[in-house]
Amino acid sequence: MVDTMASLRALFRSARGTTTASRLAAGPLPADDEVLLDVPDQRLAPALVAAGRGEYEPAAKLLAGTRGAAEWEERDRYVHRLALFARSRAEWLDEWSDAAPHDQDLLLVEAQLAVDRAWDSPARAELLRPVSARITAAARGDDRDPVPWRLALDHARGSNAGHKYFEELWEAAIRRAPHHYGCHVAALRYLATHWHGSHRECFDFADLAAQDAPPDSLVQALPARAAFSYLTDGCGPEVPRARLDAAADRAIELSARFPAADPWPAEVRNKLMYLLVRLERWEAARTQLHLIGPYATSFPWDRLSDDPLGHFVRLRAQLLAGAEPLPDGGPAPSPRGAERPLAGHRGHVLADDH
């Protein structure tokens, strides 16, 4: 097994000095008005509907089920989505807190919500400090659960924690779930934040993690996430084109393992489509469009536009018409050489990827 703990520590120090491939969806693609944004899967949707009515029980049952079955990827995603919903509709969460204030799943959602609320403030680091106690309380619930540790990693990045402390959290996280995607994304973001422009180090970490992960693990998409960060950053030394293509190829293989038109891998596929367009791999991008089906996701299109759904639909139309667009919706420049790196910043890219 590749020692990703050692690789992460080494990056800190060096920075200081045929498969189950799915078939394309049959028939035509959905019409523009049938494309949806951030659709919850069939397990999360009823919990969100109930939360809209002020009822917390379906959400509590959903999270308890993921914990009991050790479905850590699903648990992480559901915690994110439930906390996001609570930012605008918190009545159900208040009811849950009144009924079971020490419920470990409740504590986890409340901790995620607290981090999310602090993140948008210019005083982020200061506001995050008292949230540490909430995360600690959530982590005491089930020692197998990596999700509180993913949250602790995000908290450490937002509060400008030092490398030694972050390494300790990382070691605790991967001891619980060595291939948990959310924890790996948190570590990748920390690397990118603390060594702005050090994309080679981010790629090294992402590549090692993907090499060590099972073929169907979401960690296979981590190099593509490193490539997205590089292509939207506009700083640092160039990354060879071959490395960007390799990241895309790994994500293509992962995408092919999931059913077409499935909301679960939708974000991986949307991000991959962005990457393929930037690499001017048009046919591969069109293939991902068929696999995406009606499921657009905010990330990465909200990094390019204030209207992520509209942006996706416009880019989709250009691709299907045989055009060769840029991800920001403009026309493509003259073709690049096969080995020319694609650096630089295009579009309305947000500074942070929380």
Side-chain angles (χ1 to χ4, degrees):
M1 176 181 288
V2 175
D3 187 349
T4 50
M5 182 63 235
S7 71
L8 184 63
R9 186 179 294 115
L11 290 177
F12 286 148
R13 291 169 183 166
S14 65
R16 288 194 290 261
T18 275
T19 70
T20 55
S22 58
R23 300 289 181 255
L24 296 183
L29 281 168
D32 289 354
D33 60 0
E34 295 175 325
V35 178
L36 306 171
L37 187 69
D38 298 330
V39 173
D41 66 24
Q42 61 184 358
R43 297 171 66 188
L44 177 60
L48 292 176
V49 170
R53 298 193 298 261
E55 301 167 7
Y56 71 87
E57 291 88 353
K61 182 177 180 180
L62 175 65
L63 292 183
T66 61
R67 175 166 41 83
E71 296 174 321
W72 306 128
E73 301 290 4
E74 291 85 349
R75 180 173 176 80
D76 202 359
R77 185 174 295 190
Y78 297 156
V79 165
H80 268 297
R81 291 295 298 270
L82 289 166
L84 178 62
F85 189 83
R87 293 192 70 172
S88 57
R89 298 286 300 275
E91 299 87 352
W92 64 279
L93 195 62
D94 295 336
E95 290 289 332
W96 192 358
S97 182
D98 289 343
H102 304 296
D103 185 308
Q104 62 194 87
D105 301 315
L106 166 73
L107 295 175
L108 186 55
V109 176
E110 289 181 330
Q112 180 69 64
L113 178 59
V115 169
D116 291 348
R117 284 174 169 164
W119 206 270
D120 297 333
S121 171
R124 176 196 301 169
E126 181 179 350
L127 292 174
L128 281 173
R129 289 191 187 100
V131 179
S132 181
R134 289 178 176 266
I135 299 172
T136 299
R140 292 189 181 121
D142 188 330
D143 193 53
R144 305 170 302 156
D145 187 358
V147 181
W149 296 92
R150 187 273 304 158
L151 191 52
L153 292 169
D154 284 340
H155 180 275
R157 175 169 59 96
S159 56
N160 302 318
H163 310 321
K164 186 176 185 301
Y165 177 63
F166 191 90
E167 289 170 6
E168 292 171 354
L169 293 176
W170 169 250
E171 190 169 30
I174 63 170
R175 187 168 62 246
R176 287 161 173 81
H179 308 300
H180 181 60
Y181 181 61
C183 290
H184 281 79
V185 170
L188 188 68
R189 287 169 170 172
Y190 184 89
L191 283 171
T193 298
H194 282 260
W195 290 293
H196 186 54
S198 297
H199 295 290
R200 292 182 187 276
E201 287 80 1
C202 291
F203 268 98
D204 287 346
F205 172 72
D207 286 342
L208 282 171
Q211 289 167 22
D212 191 36
D216 59 351
S217 168
L218 292 177
V219 174
Q220 297 296 337
L222 200 66
R225 193 160 193 129
F228 174 85
S229 178
Y230 166 69
L231 290 169
T232 57
D233 191 9
C235 74
E238 290 184 342
V239 173
R241 167 64 189 252
R243 196 160 198 183
L244 300 174
D245 278 319
D249 290 342
R250 190 181 285 275
I252 287 172
E253 291 180 9
L254 176 66
S255 175
R257 291 179 176 274
F258 294 100
D262 184 346
W264 174 257
E267 185 179 293
V268 167
R269 287 170 170 161
N270 276 253
K271 179 181 63 203
L272 174 57
M273 194 182 93
Y274 170 93
L275 178 56
L276 292 168
V277 170
R278 282 297 300 267
L279 295 175
E280 300 178 9
R281 295 173 59 174
W282 313 115
E283 288 307 313
R286 292 183 185 104
T287 296
Q288 290 307 310
L289 271 181
H290 284 269
L291 292 172
I292 288 168
Y295 298 122
T297 56
S298 292
F299 180 77
W301 312 115
D302 59 359
R303 273 58 178 173
L304 299 161
S305 170
D306 293 326
D307 177 17
L309 179 58
H311 189 89
F312 172 84
V313 169
R314 288 189 295 272
L315 182 62
R316 187 183 81 142
Q318 291 178 349
L319 280 169
L320 294 176
E324 298 180 350
L326 294 175
D328 62 6
S334 57
R336 297 175 174 86
E339 297 302 321
R340 181 175 175 181
L342 300 173
H345 171 111
R346 289 201 186 102
H348 174 72
V349 180
L350 302 183
D352 195 87
D353 186 18
H354 177 64

